Amino acid sequence: PEGPPAASCQARIAALLKHAASELGIRAVIAMTDAAAALQVADRVLVLDHGRLVAKGTPAQLRQQVQAGDLDATLLSSA
């Protein structure tokens, strides 16, 4: 298939990988195009905008940055 998996598939795949990594006692790095899914499954998130790192932190920290106006909310949505 071309392009990334559908958003619902990305979330399921990420959750399975997170569970497997936890069971094995290892860390996993997952690149996702679905920011909402990433915020649901990740311990920490790096937000890129056109290849430039614009934010990083826990999902809660990123949501706080949006509420404070320090981060564009559209970067955390699954448009």
Side-chain angles (χ1 to χ4, degrees):
E2 293 184 25
S8 62
C9 289
Q10 285 187 47
R12 283 184 288 196
I13 291 167
L16 288 170
L17 288 172
K18 181 177 182 175
H19 177 73
S22 177
E23 289 289 316
L24 295 171
I26 61 173
R27 297 266 181 188
V29 176
I30 305 168
M32 302 179 73
T33 58
D34 183 357
L39 291 171
Q40 291 176 355
V41 299
D43 297 323
R44 296 190 52 78
V45 177
L46 301 178
V47 180
L48 302 177
D49 185 23
H50 295 91
R52 185 175 63 90
L53 179 65
V54 294
K56 63 182 176 179
T58 66
Q61 289 170 331
L62 294 176
R63 289 183 185 107
Q64 288 174 347
Q65 289 181 31
V66 168
Q67 289 177 345
D70 297 329
L71 180 61
D72 184 350
T74 60
L75 294 173
L76 299 184
S77 66
S78 297

